[in-house]
Amino acid sequence: MMKALEAREDPWLALLGQRNTLPQGTTTSPAQRLFSRRTNSLLLMKPDLLKPQVVDGISQQLAKQKEIQAKYYNQIAKDLLPITPGTVVRMEPLKGKKQEWRKAVIIEQTR
């Protein structure tokens, strides 16, 4: 969206293009999964492609893609070290407040 605004193009057309684009590892776009058909765009398209057509096996494709992503993530993921009382940490400011992160000390463990 930001890229479309910077290029002074219609952001709604950019959103439509994104929803019509096939994600990697799937055979249907998000719009096809939602509407059971392709949505019309500025690109030329056969009228047959705009007719509703139920697509099967999407949940299996998405589950398989999720498993692949989890496999690669878990190869490098590490458990966090436990935080003990007396450890110096940094606190993130509340959203909307323009403050810097502050130092804090852990007093006790709650869970």
Side-chain angles (χ1 to χ4, degrees):
M1 293 288 281
M2 295 302 293
K3 193 173 184 180
L5 291 173
E6 289 172 4
R8 297 184 187 263
E9 294 177 359
D10 188 7
W12 297 108
L13 285 177
L15 188 60
L16 179 65
Q18 181 181 3
R19 289 182 179 163
N20 280 334
T21 303
L22 300 177
Q24 186 177 4
T26 62
T27 57
T28 58
S29 68
Q32 282 177 285
R33 291 191 296 269
L34 182 64
F35 300 124
S36 296
R37 67 177 184 87
R38 296 180 187 201
T39 52
N40 205 356
S41 66
L42 296 178
L43 297 174
L44 295 177
M45 195 178 307
K46 288 184 180 179
D48 296 342
L49 295 176
L50 296 174
K51 292 180 182 175
Q53 180 182 17
V54 177
V55 182
D56 294 329
I58 294 300
S59 57
Q60 291 88 2
Q61 283 181 353
L62 295 175
K64 184 179 179 182
Q65 188 70 20
K66 192 173 183 178
E67 286 175 15
I68 292 170
Q69 289 175 351
K71 177 183 133 186
Y72 286 113
Y73 174 79
N74 290 334
Q75 286 179 351
I76 59 170
K78 297 177 184 175
D79 291 333
L80 295 175
L81 297 174
I83 299 176
T84 57
T87 305
V88 177
V89 295
R90 300 237 178 230
M91 291 178 37
E92 182 178 5
L94 297 173
K95 288 189 177 187
K97 304 245 179 174
K98 294 186 177 183
Q99 298 174 353
E100 294 182 7
W101 289 53
R102 297 183 295 173
K103 282 188 180 181
V105 177
I106 302 295
I107 298 172
E108 65 179 310
Q109 190 172 354
T110 58
R111 284 192 246 163

